[in-house]
Amino acid sequence: MASVSKLSASTFASSATSFSRSSQQQQPPMCCVVPRKRIVIFENPISSSKLSVRARQRTTGSLVVRCSQTDGNGSSVKRTTLHDLYEKEGQSPWYDNLCRPVTDLIPLIESGVRGVTSNPAIFQKAISTSSAYNDQFRELVQSGKDIESAYWELVVKDIQDACKLFESIYDETDGGDGYVSVEVSPRLADDTENTIEAAKWLHQWVNRSNVYIKIPATAACIPSIKEVISLGISVNVTLIFSLARYEAVIDAYLDGLEASGLSDLSRVTSVASFFVSRVDTLVDKMLEKIGTPEALDLRGKAANAQAGLAYQLYQKKFSGPRWEALVKKGAKKQRLLWASTSVKNPAYPDTLYVAPLIGPDTVSTMPDQALLAFIDHGSVARTIDSNVSEAEGIYSALEKLGIDWSFVGTQLELEGVDSFKKSFDSLLDSLQEKANSLKLVSL
């Protein structure tokens, strides 16, 4: 049988959960997930802009469910800013992390998290640093599984278990939320046909209605996305770094829906994961190299400006006669998902890639840092299109300074694919070492 990588794809660290009630308050307090410690540091690293947040507030410590209240009918009510984000502004907060035990996700679900994303780097960290996988890994290798096959067994179990936790959200929203994403092998990023086969294989193996198969938005995989969608498989398109590639992703989704033989398209859904913070990481370096006051003033603004224009493109593409014809067959919009929302530059506000990107029919997937920060001091208001002209101005100003958006997108895509490949290979190496140390297999 061919190797798994050819056919396939390719923390939230256990947090203590405590429940307490305050008898000194006049009214029962609202239940929320909060950080144990909070350090507030006010800085002004970038000039005023509606596309940015000026005050940096750092949050440390793990999340705990602190308290609960009764709504008067005897039922427990638990609310955080994540609930407001979804209910008031129509944006779905997802969690960008996964590890064992997946039951650690329960407090987050209660706090408003509505889905989970994973990637090779997340599993590399989870499996290589946790002993929770040892028993299953031992059994797999003893049964004759090779290292890569064992890896996929570990991953699929986590994905299936997480899907079960989010199943009720999926059902309640009629397939609108409650998804868990798992990525095909990063080794297939330049392989159209094997990406299709990997997606089919992984979808069949996981066998959950609320699983998203992640496929990278590389040039080679755009046709893969169309084909997989046409087969009725829901897809999370990842590693999108430019407007041009994003438009190609939308077209692949629409082409796939149109090519599908399904009479009811309502169960074929997709998100387009548009990466944010990494854009600023690269563009800021280019601006600092230019070094003029005008260039330096644009640091920390490129990512959100481009994201704002992506939302405009989303609204344009999912309207008009072509889209309306698909809607009649039950088609759902491919929602924009903001990925890479953690702040890479410590001088920037810790909600910089969450707060300015709030808008209806979108998803924000947040790793620990961003999730902690937004729950602690995030504000909920529609911001994604609050100043489109400013976003256009920033985008154009960067072009005039010599920033080549095509180069930025291509470079970040190469770095993203390479990073996931390294994480994948590193994890397989560490699993091989673990097997050797346990004297389960010989080289």
Side-chain angles (χ1 to χ4, degrees):
M1 182 175 180
S3 69
V4 175
S5 66
K6 291 181 180 178
L7 293 178
S8 71
S10 55
T11 318
F12 196 76
S14 232
S15 37
T17 304
S18 62
F19 295 84
S20 62
R21 297 180 183 272
S22 171
S23 59
Q24 299 178 354
Q25 298 192 27
Q26 296 297 318
Q27 297 179 349
M30 179 179 295
C31 174
C32 58
V33 176
V34 296
R36 295 177 187 239
K37 297 180 181 179
R38 176 178 169 189
I39 303 173
V40 179
I41 302 175
F42 291 97
E43 298 174 350
N44 186 22
I46 50 182
S47 61
S48 178
S49 168
K50 291 183 180 180
L51 296 174
S52 62
V53 183
R54 294 184 61 172
R56 165 139 173 95
Q57 298 185 337
R58 291 180 185 163
T59 308
T60 61
S62 60
L63 297 177
V64 294
V65 178
R66 187 175 62 183
C67 48
S68 63
Q69 75 174 28
T70 302
D71 64 3
N73 297 318
S75 60
S76 177
V77 176
K78 301 179 178 180
R79 294 196 60 83
T80 72
T81 53
L82 300 184
H83 293 104
D84 291 337
L85 191 65
Y86 176 73
E87 294 170 12
K88 295 181 180 180
E89 298 301 334
Q91 184 174 79
S92 297
W94 290 6
Y95 182 49
D96 190 29
N97 203 356
L98 184 61
C99 69
R100 293 188 186 180
V102 297
T103 49
D104 282 347
L105 294 169
I106 293 175
L108 294 177
I109 294 172
E110 292 174 344
S111 301
V113 167
R114 305 181 63 79
V116 163
T117 49
S118 68
N119 59 47
I122 285 173
F123 277 114
Q124 191 274 335
K125 180 180 179 181
I127 296 174
S128 63
T129 61
S130 172
S131 62
Y133 296 88
N134 286 358
D135 289 345
Q136 185 189 2
F137 179 66
R138 183 190 300 272
E139 293 174 2
L140 290 167
V141 178
Q142 286 181 333
S143 71
K145 295 285 186 180
D146 62 78
I147 296 300
E148 189 172 343
S149 296
Y151 161 80
W152 285 109
E153 293 272 2
L154 299 176
V155 167
V156 168
K157 176 173 171 50
D158 279 2
I159 296 299
Q160 290 175 328
D161 290 346
C163 281
K164 184 64 176 177
L165 289 179
F166 284 91
E167 190 174 41
S168 61
I169 295 176
Y170 176 84
D171 291 339
E172 290 164 6
T173 59
D174 192 28
D177 260 326
Y179 289 94
V180 179
S181 297
V182 59
E183 191 160 344
V184 299
S185 171
R187 292 173 174 174
L188 303 175
D190 297 316
D191 190 333
T192 303
E193 292 303 320
N194 278 322
T195 292
I196 295 170
E197 293 305 309
K200 290 160 60 178
W201 169 84
L202 197 52
H203 178 261
Q204 183 177 16
W205 189 4
V206 175
N207 193 27
R208 298 292 186 273
S209 57
N210 58 328
V211 66
Y212 266 143
I213 305 302
K214 291 182 77 173
I215 298 175
T218 58
C221 287
I222 293 297
S224 309
I225 295 163
K226 173 189 172 181
E227 178 65 18
V228 172
I229 289 293
S230 75
L231 295 173
I233 297 173
S234 296
V235 176
N236 177 340
V237 184
T238 187
L239 295 178
I240 305 172
F241 295 99
S242 70
L243 295 177
R245 186 54 57 83
Y246 174 47
E247 185 166 16
V249 167
I250 297 175
D251 287 337
Y253 178 62
L254 297 176
D255 290 343
L257 291 177
E258 290 170 339
S260 172
L262 297 173
S263 58
D264 179 11
L265 297 175
S266 63
R267 290 299 168 187
V268 187
T269 68
S270 181
V271 291
S273 294
F274 203 97
F275 280 54
V276 192
S277 67
R278 295 187 191 185
V279 174
D280 276 344
T281 300
L282 176 56
V283 173
D284 281 3
K285 291 179 181 178
M286 299 168 73
L287 292 172
E288 288 168 0
K289 187 174 182 179
I290 296 171
T292 64
E294 181 184 8
L296 296 178
D297 188 54
L298 289 170
R299 288 177 296 176
K301 298 180 181 179
N304 285 338
Q306 183 177 230
L309 298 184
Y311 189 73
Q312 295 301 302
L313 181 59
Y314 159 82
Q315 291 182 311
K316 176 184 177 181
K317 298 288 284 189
F318 289 100
S319 63
R322 184 187 185 189
W323 175 243
E324 291 305 321
L326 289 168
V327 170
K328 291 178 181 178
K329 297 179 67 175
K332 295 179 179 177
K333 295 178 181 178
Q334 181 189 56
R335 290 188 296 172
L336 259 172
L337 180 150
W338 309 122
S340 184
T341 56
S342 63
V343 174
K344 307 296 191 294
N345 186 336
Y348 290 168
D350 53 8
T351 60
L352 179 62
Y353 304 112
V354 180
L357 301 179
I358 298 174
D361 301 321
T362 59
V363 178
S364 181
T365 187
M366 294 173 266
D368 295 336
Q369 177 206 54
L371 190 71
L372 273 165
F374 192 74
I375 289 175
D376 182 51
H377 50 265
S379 57
V380 175
R382 179 165 177 164
T383 53
I384 185 59
D385 51 6
S386 61
N387 199 330
V388 177
S389 61
E390 182 180 7
E392 293 172 338
I394 291 171
Y395 192 89
S396 297
L398 288 162
E399 285 183 316
K400 291 177 181 178
L401 285 172
I403 302 300
D404 184 342
W405 285 101
S406 177
F407 167 80
V408 170
T410 300
Q411 180 63 27
L412 289 173
E413 179 184 295
L414 290 172
E415 292 176 4
V417 170
D418 184 61
S419 174
F420 284 165
K421 284 181 179 177
K422 288 181 178 178
S423 294
F424 186 74
D425 292 342
S426 174
L427 177 55
L428 294 184
D429 289 343
S430 65
L431 286 176
Q432 182 66 65
E433 292 174 1
K434 181 177 289 189
N436 294 340
S437 68
L438 296 172
K439 296 181 180 181
L440 295 175
V441 296
S442 58
L443 290 173

